[in-house]
Amino acid sequence: MKGRRILGTYVGVGLAAALSSGIHAIAISALFDVLVAGIVFVAVNQLIYGYPDDIRGTHPIVLLVLGVVGIVQDTLIWLLVSWLSGKMQAGFHVDGFLAALLGGVIVRATVLVLLALGPRPTERTP
């Protein structure tokens, strides 16, 4: 499950950069920019974990609350990525809050879709 979250984060960052007109690459290599932004996303998302263990068995209201909180979290991470990218001269520049919000929605939706498509987690016995 952790691997799907990380893969979903990188795919979501790449999709958000490709689909949003308000997110622009700073460096020459788009792959390097996705890598830099993805590292920031993965690091912060590991510190603030907001995904249920079994996404298909979770109550819809819990999913809605986690989704909204996750979108806010990912929007703030896009703004952090933009600030860090300006300091490092690599990554993505985000034009404003609405571009960051759209990027946050795309990243969170991608991660949740990849979590839902994978196999169910197995029960762990102590």
Side-chain angles (χ1 to χ4, degrees):
M1 182 162 128
K2 185 176 181 179
R4 286 190 309 236
R5 274 196 342 254
I6 293 172
L7 176 66
T9 301
Y10 278 107
V11 170
V13 167
L15 279 174
L19 296 176
S20 176
S21 62
I23 299 175
H24 309 285
I26 292 177
I28 297 171
S29 171
L31 181 62
F32 183 70
D33 290 332
V34 170
L35 183 67
V36 169
I39 288 171
V40 174
F41 265 89
V42 168
V44 174
N45 280 332
Q46 292 300 318
L47 294 173
I48 307 169
Y49 181 76
Y51 300 101
D53 289 333
D54 182 15
I55 196 165
R56 286 170 278 184
T58 305
H59 195 275
I61 293 179
V62 173
L63 279 179
L64 180 66
V65 169
L66 287 174
V68 169
V69 169
I71 289 170
V72 170
Q73 174 185 330
D74 288 346
T75 301
L76 294 174
I77 295 173
W78 269 116
L79 295 173
L80 175 66
V81 163
S82 180
W83 178 76
L84 286 174
S85 297
K87 299 290 184 190
M88 297 181 350
Q89 297 301 316
F92 293 103
H93 172 72
V94 180
D95 286 342
F97 180 77
L98 291 178
L101 180 64
L102 178 62
V105 168
I106 292 171
V107 170
R108 188 57 54 152
T110 305
V111 172
L112 291 176
V113 165
L114 280 181
L115 286 176
L117 291 177
R120 285 183 175 254
T122 59
E123 292 289 325
R124 294 183 184 165
T125 56

